[in-house]
């Protein structure tokens, strides 16, 4: 399998070079892993008489009777008459005419494959795949012919999608079952009714029937999921077994005092459960590496605070890192207020902390008298040194890169526990594959008494009513967000739209009766900050903004979120925006404004969004509509790059793979039993081929 590809019959140095450059195929084994993307079903040669306007692609066999060219230069075309025993059909080429002229010999038998169209009532096929039928050999038999992904450069060298199949065919003449040993346990294959690895490889390249092809496909997809899950399961188990963390053994006086005397409400069931999970992790002496997913407003902050008190009770410092100045400021103020009657020292460190203040905070942190340090990524800087950092909490995870988070590691001899909090729910299927090596907590419950946000979609012609509604809400003392799409901060048109929108809002809500803030990405940081603060302090009633305000801002008095050109936003983004309202006790509203013409997909998206407030449902739907490639934070993880399997359409298979890996790892965590020899060997071979990203 590791033989260089140039040693294969039909390859040679030139083609080998191209195969390497174009498809990354260096070895025999890699050619085997280059799978067909479709097949020409030669088991079913059909007839011209069968063709009707509903016919999709069709395979025919017959003779060429006439070949003609017509037209000049770019209008030049080649037409050939093709006949079988039931009728005739016209074949047309606009390209490669010279070559086709030589290839098409009247009187010879060809197979033709393509999608027919009707012209003046007669069927014809433009640029069909065509092949001379040899009297003997591979092409003479009936079978499913594989067609492989290829590239323009390869095609020029005679390696079209079908010709690559000839190479694969040559390869199969050289190998046997021994070369593709089984890696899955026998009893699992039996249980799942899957073919062996050898059979699967043979049948995916050269299936004898559609059924054989389907079975091979199922086996290989299952294997992909299974191996990926197993590797992540083993990573996780290893971390649980071997990673050293600072033990937070006791629940001490501060935690208890806060819990009993200062907690302003009862914890929700979900919050209690997550606290238990965190307790279990941190008491054990291993390092916690946990992702906390909680929908907007589910109360993650208090979980963070309790966790940091737990660390303080055991003599350790904590840091809480947020993605923006405003958010860290809000955390600082909120937590300071909650802790005001307790001797816990909380400090705030951001890019705009004055230098004398900064010096003071850095010294106190190094000396250990700061218990909780809150800040932006200023916290990551080399200069920030802790005496005993035991807990690092990261809020709104998706704004931080993996590398940034990893820097928190280096701040203590024994790595601190890490809790990453995100309001972007990750669908279960995605979490299983992308973050399978992490521990995950889910808060799927909102604090009691919240009124669900009412969401509606309004067309442009209803704008006056929407503006009237906003005016009423302002009169009742509420505040309003109006969001414009500015997907690329550099996009000139979007920017002009925003400015026009702002003027428009001013016309509806004139000063001095109304006050308006504006925040967008082209503003200087301090200007942004000042505008934001005015809105937070209720000095302005309307906030006109782009998605820069999307994350985490807390203005409980804001009750209406208007989203302009809502069709331009993705579901997850809409959900984040909506989460800015509904934070107080008032009924809140989200109004999606669009032009009168909206595409079908956008309409479906907006419909889904109006129908539910459940972030997990929205995330599932988002995944379904957009595919995994676009999901925030997973783009570079590599964990989703399956060759054949698809985590959405094959999710049933994914679930089964998950079940079986869990079972196997429970029974034989190190894969030492003879039954798992194949698996163990296989994993040793693939190790290092692709490493999954870790959260921290
Ligand atoms: P998020 O998960 O979006 O960060 P926050 O932590 O900001 O949510 O909490 C949102 C609001 O809910 C805050 O005002 C907070 O005080 C309140 N809250 C949190 N937990 C509870 C609870 N168990 N009961 C009532 N209110 C709560
Ligand atoms: Mg929050």
């Amino acid at each position: 399998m590791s033989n260089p590809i140039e040693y294969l019959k039909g390859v040679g140095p030139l083609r080998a070079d191209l195969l390497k450059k174009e498809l990354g195929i260096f070895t025999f084994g890699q050619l085997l892993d280059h799978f067909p993307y479709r097949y020409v079903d030669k088991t079913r040669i059909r007839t011209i008489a069968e063709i009707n306007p509903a016919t999709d692609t069709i395979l025919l066999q017959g003779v060429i009777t006439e070949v003609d060219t017509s037209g000049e230069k770019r209008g030049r075309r080649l037409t050939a008459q093709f006949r079988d025993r039931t009728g005739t059909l016209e074949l047309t080429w606009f390209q490669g005419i010279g070559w086709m002229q030589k290839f098409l010999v009247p009187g010879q038998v060809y197979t033709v494959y393509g999608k027919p169209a009707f012209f003046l009532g007669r069927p014809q096929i433009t640029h069909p795949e065509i092949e001379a039928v040899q009297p003997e050999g591979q092409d003479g038999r009936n079978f499913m012919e594989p067609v492989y992904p290829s590239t323009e450069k390869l095609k020029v060298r005679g390696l079209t999608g079908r010709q690559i199949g000839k190479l694969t065919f040559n390869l199969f003449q050289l190998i046997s079952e021994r070369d593709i040993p089984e890696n899955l346990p026998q009893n699992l294959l039996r249980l799942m009714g899957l073919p062996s690895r050898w059979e699967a490889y043979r049948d995916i390249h050269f299936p004898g029937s559609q059924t054989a092809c389907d079975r091979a496909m199922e086996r290989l997809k299952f294997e992909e999921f299974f191996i990926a899950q197993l590797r992540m399961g083993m990573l996780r188990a290893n971390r649980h077994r071997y990673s050293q963390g600072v033990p937070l053994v006791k629940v001490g006086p501060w935690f208890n005092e806060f819990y009993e005397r200062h907690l302003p409400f009862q914890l929700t069931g979900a919050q209690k459960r997550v606290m238990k999970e965190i307790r279990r992790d941190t008491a054990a002496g291993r390092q916690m590496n946990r992702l906390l997913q909680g929908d907007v407003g589910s109360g993650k902050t208090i979980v963070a605070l309790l966790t940091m008190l737990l660390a303080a009770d055991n003599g350790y410092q904590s840091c809480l890192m947020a993605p923006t100045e405003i958010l860290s400021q809000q955390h600082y103020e909120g937590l300071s207020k909650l802790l005001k009657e307790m001797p816990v020292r909380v400090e705030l460190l951001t890019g705009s902390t004055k230098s004398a203040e900064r010096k003071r905070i850095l010294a106190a942190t190094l000396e250990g008298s700061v218990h909780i340090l809150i800040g932006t990524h200023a916290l990551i800087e080399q200069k920030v040194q802790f005496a005993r950092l035991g807990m690092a909490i990261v809020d709104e995870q998706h704004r931080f890169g993996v590398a940034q988070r990893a820097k928190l590691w280096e701040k203590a001899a024994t790595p601190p526990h890490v809790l990453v909090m995100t309001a972007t729910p990750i669908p279960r299927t995605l979490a299983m594959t992308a973050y399978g090596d992490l521990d995950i907590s889910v808060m799927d419950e909102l604090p009691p008494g919240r009124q669900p946000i009412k969401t509606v979609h309004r067309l442009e012609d209803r704008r006056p009513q929407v503006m009237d509604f906003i005016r009423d809400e302002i009169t009742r003392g509420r505040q309003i967000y109006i969001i414009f799409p500015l997907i690329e901060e550099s996009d000139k048109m979007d920017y002009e739209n925003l400015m026009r929108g702002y003027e428009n809002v001013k016309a509806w809500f004139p000063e001095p009766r109304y006050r308006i803030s504006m925040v967008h990405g082209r503003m200087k940081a301090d200007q942004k900050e000042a505008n934001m603060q005015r809105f937070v302090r209720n000095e302005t009633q309307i906030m006109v903004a782009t998605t820069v305000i999307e994350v985490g801002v807390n203005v409980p008095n804001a009750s209406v979120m208007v989203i302009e050109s809502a069709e331009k936003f993705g579901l997850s983004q809409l959900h984040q925006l909506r989460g800015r309202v509904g934070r107080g006790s008032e009924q809140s509203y989200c109004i999606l404004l669009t032009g009168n013409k909206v595409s079908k997909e956008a309409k479906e998206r907006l419909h889904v969004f109006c129908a539910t407030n459940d972030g997990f449902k929205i995330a599932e739907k988002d995944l379904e509509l957009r595919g995994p490639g676009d999901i925030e934070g997973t783009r570079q993880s590599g964990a989703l790059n399956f060759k054949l399997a698809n985590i959405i359409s094959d999710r049933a298979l994914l679930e089964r793979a998950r079940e079986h890996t869990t079972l196997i790892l429970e029974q034989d965590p190190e894969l030492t039993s003879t039954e798992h020899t194949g698996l163990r060997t296989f994993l040793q071979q693939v190790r290092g081929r692709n490493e999954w990203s870790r959260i921290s």
Side-chain angles (χ1 to χ4, degrees):
M1 285 302 137
S2 54
N3 272 359
I5 194 68
E6 46 264 57
Y7 295 171
L8 184 65
K9 187 176 143 205
V11 179
L14 258 176
R15 284 178 160 189
D17 239 30
L18 276 173
L19 283 170
K20 289 173 196 172
K21 279 198 195 107
E22 296 286 297
L23 298 174
I25 297 174
F26 288 76
T27 63
F28 285 13
Q30 284 166 341
L31 180 63
L32 272 190
D33 274 330
H34 188 61
F35 297 118
Y37 69 96
R38 67 179 176 84
Y39 304 86
V40 179
D41 186 354
K42 293 197 167 172
T43 59
R44 288 171 58 224
I45 291 183
R46 315 249 298 275
T47 60
I48 294 174
E50 280 178 68
I51 298 175
N52 63 55
T55 304
D56 195 41
T57 48
I58 191 164
L59 180 77
L60 302 163
Q61 197 167 85
V63 290
I64 294 287
T65 54
E66 267 177 67
V67 182
D68 268 320
T69 57
S70 59
E72 285 298 319
K73 297 208 168 134
R74 299 177 117 235
R76 215 163 112 81
R77 66 161 74 186
L78 176 77
T79 50
Q81 304 303 319
F82 175 75
R83 195 182 70 210
D84 70 2
R85 61 193 156 74
T86 68
T88 60
L89 176 77
E90 191 169 273
L91 307 176
T92 311
W93 284 267
F94 298 99
Q95 277 158 19
I97 291 176
W99 195 81
M100 282 315 288
Q101 255 174 325
K102 276 185 228 139
F103 178 72
L104 296 174
V105 182
Q108 258 204 35
V109 184
Y110 294 85
T111 54
V112 163
Y113 178 84
K115 187 172 160 41
F118 280 82
F119 184 67
L120 300 176
R122 280 198 59 202
Q124 57 167 51
I125 301 181
T126 305
H127 285 202
E129 286 177 16
I130 183 161
E131 213 165 304
V133 174
Q134 313 293 325
E136 302 209 14
Q138 195 207 124
D139 293 345
R141 275 186 291 121
N142 292 343
F143 70 115
M144 307 256 294
E145 191 196 355
V147 185
Y148 295 81
S150 181
T151 67
E152 283 312 315
K153 284 193 182 142
L154 282 167
K155 283 177 192 164
V156 172
R157 285 277 161 215
L159 285 177
T160 64
R162 305 171 79 183
Q163 280 148 342
I164 291 173
K166 303 228 166 79
L167 301 182
T168 316
F169 186 84
N170 293 344
L171 178 53
F172 267 91
Q173 307 309 305
L174 302 175
I175 60 175
S176 68
E177 191 152 3
R178 270 208 330 267
D179 297 302
I180 307 184
E182 185 53 63
N183 53 7
L184 301 181
Q186 283 303 333
N187 65 350
L188 178 59
L189 289 184
R190 261 196 309 278
L191 206 70
M192 295 280 303
L194 295 171
S196 74
R197 195 153 196 263
W198 157 255
E199 284 174 296
Y201 267 94
R202 188 194 59 199
D203 290 355
I204 197 156
H205 289 290
F206 300 102
S209 67
Q210 188 61 49
T211 320
C213 178
D214 293 345
R215 274 166 46 88
M217 184 66 94
E218 177 165 274
R219 144 84 209 207
L220 294 171
K221 283 178 174 176
F222 181 80
E223 180 185 315
E224 277 191 297
F225 281 146
F226 185 88
I227 296 294
Q229 300 275 304
L230 195 70
R231 295 186 65 198
M232 295 227 239
M234 290 177 83
L235 275 177
R236 188 171 53 212
N238 266 326
R239 188 160 49 70
H240 284 185
R241 244 170 300 149
Y242 303 119
S243 76
Q244 283 277 325
V246 292
L248 306 181
V249 207
K250 61 178 181 199
V251 180
W254 282 355
F255 184 98
N256 286 329
E257 184 191 337
F258 180 81
Y259 195 84
E260 280 151 27
R261 310 246 304 271
H262 308 298
L263 189 63
F265 36 65
Q266 284 251 306
L267 291 187
T268 63
Q271 284 169 324
K272 282 187 190 154
R273 195 182 59 234
V274 172
M275 280 316 299
K276 274 203 195 109
E277 286 164 355
I278 292 172
R279 271 282 294 145
R280 192 169 1 102
D281 285 357
T282 54
R286 64 182 169 87
Q287 186 234 358
M288 172 171 77
N289 200 10
R290 187 168 282 279
L291 178 69
L292 169 57
Q293 295 187 51
D295 214 340
V296 275
S298 58
K300 293 184 288 295
T301 316
I302 211 78
V303 169
L305 175 56
L306 287 168
T307 305
M308 293 191 289
L309 289 177
L310 193 64
D313 274 335
N314 287 275
Y316 288 96
Q317 297 168 285
S318 301
C319 67
L320 171 59
M321 192 159 76
T324 63
E325 295 240 339
I326 295 167
L327 273 179
S328 10
Q329 176 92 30
Q330 281 193 344
H331 275 320
Y332 175 69
E333 283 164 11
L335 297 192
S336 300
K337 206 160 120 197
L338 285 166
L339 293 171
K340 68 176 183 297
E341 284 167 41
M342 291 179 57
V344 181
R345 179 161 174 198
V346 185
E347 295 285 358
L348 174 69
L349 188 72
T350 71
S352 59
T353 307
K354 297 274 172 336
S355 98
E357 173 87 346
R358 166 180 306 265
K359 264 197 196 127
R360 190 179 60 75
I361 295 174
L362 286 178
T365 304
L366 181 59
E367 160 210 294
S369 60
V370 173
H371 300 110
I372 295 178
L373 184 62
I374 299 176
T376 53
H377 33 260
L379 294 189
I380 299 175
E381 284 166 24
Q382 196 62 47
K383 275 170 279 175
V384 185
Q385 296 289 337
F386 293 82
R388 275 160 73 80
L389 180 64
M391 177 68 65
I393 302 188
V394 182
D395 197 10
E396 309 293 357
Q397 155 257 347
H398 60 287
R399 289 287 168 108
F400 286 106
V402 176
Q404 279 179 313
R405 279 183 250 120
K407 289 201 176 155
L408 284 172
W409 256 187
E410 296 148 18
K411 298 213 176 278
T414 306
H417 298 292
V418 175
L419 180 66
V420 172
M421 308 196 295
T422 173
T424 311
I426 302 166
R428 205 179 117 71
T429 35
L430 200 60
M432 263 159 58
T433 41
Y435 298 113
D437 62 331
L438 279 187
D439 298 303
I440 297 181
S441 290
V442 175
M443 297 215 299
D444 46 6
E445 185 186 349
L446 293 182
R450 290 281 168 76
Q451 302 191 46
I453 300 160
K454 289 191 178 143
T455 306
V456 293
H457 174 200
R458 292 284 178 263
L459 300 179
E460 185 57 38
D461 51 18
R462 298 281 299 277
R463 183 177 289 273
Q465 285 89 330
V466 172
M467 293 301 143
D468 286 347
F469 179 75
I470 290 177
R471 188 171 296 114
D472 289 347
E473 284 288 303
I474 294 177
T475 309
R476 298 176 52 232
R478 304 279 88 79
Q479 287 166 280
I480 317 292
Y481 289 101
I482 303 179
I483 306 299
F484 286 84
L486 195 67
I487 311 302
E488 292 286 337
E489 292 291 350
S490 56
D491 190 323
K492 197 157 162 267
M493 256 196 18
D494 277 353
Y495 183 70
E496 282 165 9
N497 264 344
L498 170 70
M499 287 308 159
R500 241 198 322 279
Y502 176 61
E503 292 305 323
N504 218 344
V505 175
K506 276 213 301 214
W508 282 98
F509 299 98
E511 301 198 304
R513 168 74 185 83
Y514 301 96
R515 304 247 173 228
I516 305 173
S517 282
M518 179 159 68
V519 169
H520 59 78
R522 284 194 180 185
M523 280 176 158
K524 294 228 172 64
D526 52 344
Q527 209 183 347
K528 224 176 352 191
E529 185 79 19
N531 267 301
M532 197 62 224
Q533 287 299 352
R534 285 171 65 212
F535 189 67
V536 171
R537 289 195 298 264
N538 200 0
E539 291 163 16
T540 57
Q541 296 95 45
I542 300 177
M543 165 59 83
V544 173
T546 61
T547 50
V548 292
I549 60 118
E550 164 184 330
V551 173
V553 187
N554 191 20
V555 182
N557 189 47
S559 65
V560 184
M561 166 63 63
V562 179
I563 304 175
E564 297 270 359
S565 307
E567 77 280 2
K568 292 196 180 166
F569 294 87
L571 273 176
S572 300
Q573 220 175 6
L574 288 173
H575 186 64
Q576 284 295 316
L577 289 169
R578 177 165 61 183
R580 297 309 106 218
V581 296
R583 311 195 131 231
S585 52
E586 295 295 319
Q587 174 64 55
S588 290
Y589 306 87
C590 178
I591 304 172
L592 309 174
L593 277 171
T594 69
N596 292 333
K597 277 215 187 82
V598 187
S599 75
K600 209 173 127 237
E601 293 83 49
K603 216 177 265 170
E604 181 179 354
R605 210 163 51 228
L606 299 181
H607 180 76
V608 169
F609 186 68
C610 291
T612 181
N613 272 301
D614 182 333
F616 281 91
K617 277 200 193 126
I618 287 171
E620 286 279 350
K621 194 72 195 175
D622 200 27
L623 182 62
E624 213 177 289
L625 293 176
R626 291 198 303 169
D630 282 335
I631 301 294
E632 197 99 45
T634 59
R635 227 157 298 179
Q636 297 101 334
S637 81
L640 304 173
N641 298 339
F642 294 109
K643 275 206 157 92
L644 297 169
N646 176 308
I647 62 165
I648 300 159
S649 48
D650 301 318
R651 77 172 75 173
L653 216 50
L654 174 61
E655 297 270 352
R656 296 202 67 182
R658 168 84 161 186
E659 274 163 38
H660 287 294
T661 49
T662 312
L663 214 68
I664 285 180
L665 287 178
E666 261 166 28
Q667 290 163 356
D668 183 15
E670 305 273 1
L671 304 178
T672 46
S673 78
T674 42
E675 202 194 352
H676 299 144
T677 311
L679 259 182
R680 202 173 56 241
T681 321
F682 184 79
L683 285 176
Q684 275 158 4
Q685 282 164 4
V686 298
R687 176 167 306 153
R689 232 200 258 166
N690 38 6
E691 273 312 320
W692 283 277
S693 76
R694 309 259 322 262
I695 201 95
S696 52

